[in-house]
Amino acid sequence: MSSVEPETTEAEEPTPEAPPPDPYLDVLEALRADLGGALVGSLTQRGDLWVRVHPDRWKRAAEVLRHQLGFDYFCFLSAVDWMPHTWPNPKVVEGEGDGDGDAEPEPEPVAEMQTGVTGGDSRFQVLARVYSTTRHLGVFLKADLDAETPRVETWSEVYAGADWHERETWEMYGFDFVGHPNLSHLYLPGDFEGFPLRKDFPLLSREVKPWPGLVDVEGFPAGYGAEEAAAEGGAS
């Protein structure tokens, strides 16, 4: 009596899952369709979309995000000064030293300017983040500004929250927000001269320490673990 062996088959390879769709695809397409070549660069990083635009279309980019794409929450607006630090500060009066009798330190070589995510072509950039409370997506916008006369159109008509942030950026960096209804001081006296958050502003503290004040960093106590040290540094 003969028996029939059951037919054996090779185990099927699991089908690789398709990657999840890019949640920013329609956002980027809408911005690119409206701004064209004024959309200079883009990158998705850490869950947010970063977009660099030409400064002439800065306000238009905000209008598209707010009115067409539903980014209804304004997070913040600020500025970046990408100028590499110099030490000693070239604006410090030559020969004064640091006041403790020590010789003036040798100048450090000037590092190459680096402009972060999506790059940049100038020293100054304006930066803002908006968020969609329904889609739970965030978009950073940035634009290069002229180093001598940094200016860009105001967002205050698109996002009311930008009003205060633009005043602060105007006061601290000297950016002009064209069309802003009230660029007036928030922190400094009205007759204050200069822009304290520019890296070449001669703050008194920079006469005795390099940007951003590295000599303030204190060593960890003996026996302090590397893990705790890293956690301490990350929390600062």
Side-chain angles (χ1 to χ4, degrees), residues 19-80:
D22 184 351
Y24 288 105
L25 186 59
D26 66 313
V27 176
L28 199 52
E29 287 180 347
L31 286 171
R32 186 174 288 114
D34 195 285
L35 303 179
L39 195 157
V40 181
S42 65
L43 178 71
T44 301
Q45 185 182 67
R46 298 180 181 177
D48 279 339
L49 175 65
W50 289 72
V51 179
R52 181 159 68 103
V53 301
H54 191 279
D56 289 346
R57 303 292 280 169
W58 173 251
K59 181 180 179 182
R60 180 58 189 166
E63 292 172 340
V64 173
L65 287 167
R66 177 68 188 272
H67 302 307
Q68 297 185 23
L69 299 170
F71 285 80
D72 53 345
Y73 182 73
F74 171 84
C75 302
F76 70 88
L77 182 148
S78 189
V80 184

Side-chain angles (χ1 to χ4, degrees), residues 2 4 33 60 63 102 113 117 119 142 164 167 172 176 183 187 194 207 230 234:
S2 64
V4 178
R60 180 58 189 166
E63 292 172 340
D102 296 336
M113 188 172 73
V117 174
K142 56 190 279 192
W164 187 93
R167 286 176 63 188
M172 293 295 165
D176 182 18
L183 285 178
Y187 311 110
E207 296 186 19

Side-chain angles (χ1 to χ4, degrees), residues 71-223:
F71 285 80
D72 53 345
Y73 182 73
F74 171 84
C75 302
F76 70 88
L77 182 148
S78 189
V80 184
D81 180 355
W82 293 108
M83 187 182 81
H85 78 79
T86 57
W87 171 245
N89 191 315
K91 289 192 175 182
V92 175
V93 178
E94 184 177 358
E96 285 193 349
D98 57 10
D100 61 2
D102 296 336
E104 191 73 22
E106 291 294 327
E108 293 181 358
V110 177
E112 183 178 352
M113 188 172 73
Q114 299 180 357
T115 49
V117 174
T118 72
D121 296 321
S122 65
R123 170 185 169 184
F124 292 126
Q125 287 184 325
V126 61
L127 172 75
R129 183 177 188 265
V130 296
Y131 188 78
S132 168
T133 58
T134 56
R135 301 177 63 184
H136 306 294
L137 300 175
V139 174
F140 279 94
L141 280 177
K142 56 190 279 192
D144 302 338
L145 300 187
D146 184 83
E148 299 299 324
T149 55
R151 65 174 55 185
V152 72
E153 281 189 281
T154 180
W155 275 18
S156 58
E157 296 176 353
V158 185
Y159 292 102
D163 182 297
W164 187 93
H165 292 252
E166 290 178 348
R167 286 176 63 188
E168 183 184 53
T169 304
W170 165 79
E171 184 175 37
M172 293 295 165
Y173 288 90
F175 291 7
D176 182 18
F177 291 91
V178 179
H180 190 287
N182 180 33
L183 285 178
S184 56
H185 287 275
L186 288 166
Y187 311 110
L188 302 172
D191 58 351
F192 188 89
E193 296 183 2
F195 309 107
L197 290 186
R198 289 190 179 187
K199 287 183 179 174
D200 56 355
F201 186 82
L203 289 176
L204 178 61
S205 63
R206 293 184 201 166
E207 296 186 19
V208 295
K209 66 186 70 170
W211 175 272
L214 295 178
V215 294
D216 287 342
V217 178
E218 297 180 356
F220 290 101

